[in-house]
Amino acid sequence: EISLGLVGSEMCIRDRHHILLYGPPGSGKSLLMRDVADALGMTFIPFHCSTLEDAADFLATIHLCAGPDGQSVMQFQRSPLLETIERAYRHPRQRFLLGLEEFNRCPTPAQNASLAAMDKTRTIRHPIENKHVVIPLNVSFIAAINRGAQYTGTFDIDRAQLDRFEPIEINYMPAEQEVAFLKKEYPRVGKEKIETIVAIANKIRSAPEMPCELSVRATSGACVFLNDPLVASERGNFLIDVLKSAFCGRLNGHWDEQGSEASIAWRLIQDSLAEHASSR
C-alpha cells in the first residue's frame, strides 16, 4: 500500500517544497520525518519548537552564565537551525532536513520568523551578528503539528504561513500494519493478543461518543506491560487491567467517572472483551 505521507513528502522535498504534517498524536509524524530524510539520503535535524518564545529563538537563545570573575554574563546558544545553516554552507553537497516538531506550540511572533525563511528569499534574522542570512538551498523544512481546538497550548498558524507549506494529513496506520508493527516490537505478547488490543483501540477511536483519539502510543504502552517476561510467564489474564491503565489513563477523567473520556473507553473495553470471550 502506498503511503501518501511518505511518497507525497518525498516528492515535495525533492521539488524543494516545505512540508506540514498534521494529524492526531501518536500517528507517526515524527517517524515519518526521519523516514523521508532516510529515503532521500538527507541528514535529519530535529528542532523542538515548543520551547521557542520569540523570533530570535529560531537561531539563538540568550543564557546567563558565570564569567571568569564570577560575574554573570550573557551568552548566545546556537539553535539547531543556525547550526544546520552553518553546516550546510560548509558542506554544500550534503542535504539537510530540519524537522520542526510541535511547530504550532511556539507563539505567533516566533512563528513569524520563519515566514521569510520559507519563501523565495529564504532569509532569516541572525540575532548574534544582527543581520539577515540566506538559508542555503540544501536545507529543507518539514513541520509537524496537532491541529484542533482540543489541543491546548497551541497557537493558530497564520494563513500566509500555511501557504508556505505543502500540508499532508497523517492518520493512524491501518489495523494490520499496527498489528505487524507491535508484533515486531513486542514478540512475547503474541499475535492474537495484539490483534485484540488493536481492535479495541480502533473501537475506541471510531466511537462517535468519544471526543478525542487514542494514539498508537496507547497500544504500544499496553504491549510494554504484556511483553515483560514476568507477565508473559503468568497464566492469569492481565489484559483488562493493562488496558484500563494504558488506554483509560491516557484520557481525561477517571474510568469510574461517569461521562468522562476514560469511562467511555472503559465501557468499550469491557464490551469488547466480553464479545471476544463469547465468540471463542
Side-chain angles (χ1 to χ4, degrees):
E1 182 179 347
I2 295 178
S3 167
L4 175 61
L6 180 59
V7 175
S9 296
E10 288 180 26
M11 292 168 58
C12 292
I13 295 297
R14 282 197 191 99
D15 290 339
R16 303 192 186 281
H17 289 235
H18 308 301
I19 307 297
L20 180 70
L21 304 176
Y22 66 96
S27 54
K29 298 184 293 297
S30 297
L31 289 175
L32 180 60
M33 290 181 178
R34 297 177 183 276
D35 288 343
V36 171
D38 289 343
L40 297 176
M42 303 176 74
T43 300
F44 179 72
I45 310 292
F47 187 5
H48 294 273
C49 298
S50 57
T51 60
L52 305 182
E53 295 182 2
D54 56 44
D57 291 346
F58 261 99
L59 288 190
T61 52
I62 298 176
H63 295 264
L64 284 175
C65 305
D69 57 357
Q71 298 295 316
S72 296
V73 294
M74 290 191 301
Q75 291 185 349
F76 279 103
Q77 181 174 328
R78 284 170 161 75
S79 74
L81 173 55
L82 180 53
E83 291 177 345
T84 300
I85 292 172
E86 292 171 345
R87 285 178 62 187
Y89 274 114
R90 293 195 302 268
H91 306 283
R93 294 185 179 181
Q94 186 177 354
R95 296 189 64 194
F96 299 87
L97 184 62
L98 194 81
L100 302 175
E101 296 271 13
E102 306 288 356
F103 180 66
N104 61 336
R105 289 189 181 274
C106 63
T108 301
Q111 293 180 26
N112 288 341
S114 65
L115 282 169
M118 296 183 188
D119 64 18
K120 292 186 180 298
T121 63
R122 295 180 63 88
T123 60
I124 193 166
R125 188 74 182 177
H126 196 311
I128 302 176
E129 299 179 359
N130 195 29
K131 65 179 183 180
H132 282 88
V133 295
V134 177
I135 300 173
L137 291 176
N138 54 335
V139 176
S140 297
F141 295 93
I142 184 167
I145 64 171
N146 299 128
R147 176 182 282 176
Q150 70 269 34
Y151 301 110
T152 59
T154 61
F155 298 85
D156 289 336
I157 298 180
D158 181 80
R159 193 177 296 273
Q161 180 74 72
L162 280 174
D163 196 49
R164 285 160 167 77
F165 287 107
E166 296 297 336
I168 297 178
E169 184 174 10
I170 306 298
N171 289 310
Y172 294 123
M173 63 183 77
E176 61 273 13
Q177 291 184 15
E178 189 171 357
V179 168
F181 167 75
L182 294 172
K183 184 181 176 183
K184 180 180 178 181
E185 294 292 317
Y186 309 101
R188 292 192 187 94
V189 179
K191 184 179 179 182
E192 182 179 352
K193 192 163 288 185
I194 290 176
E195 288 175 341
T196 301
I197 292 171
V198 172
I200 294 173
N202 282 329
K203 187 170 185 176
I204 295 172
R205 290 164 182 161
S206 61
E209 67 269 37
M210 179 59 71
C212 66
E213 294 156 319
L214 197 67
S215 80
V216 177
R217 296 188 188 98
T219 56
S220 180
C223 289
V224 166
F225 289 105
L226 297 169
N227 195 61
D228 186 275
L230 292 176
V231 175
S233 64
E234 290 287 341
R235 295 184 178 181
N237 185 1
F238 295 94
L239 181 58
I240 190 166
D241 291 329
V242 166
L243 294 180
K244 181 191 287 186
S245 176
F247 286 10
C248 300
R250 280 180 162 80
L251 302 172
N252 289 332
H254 194 261
W255 61 269
D256 62 355
E257 180 185 347
Q258 188 173 2
S260 68
E261 295 174 359
S263 69
I264 295 172
W266 178 233
R267 175 176 54 81
L268 294 170
I269 290 169
Q270 291 177 299
D271 291 347
S272 298
L273 289 177
E275 292 170 5
H276 181 72
S278 63
S279 65
R280 296 183 67 178

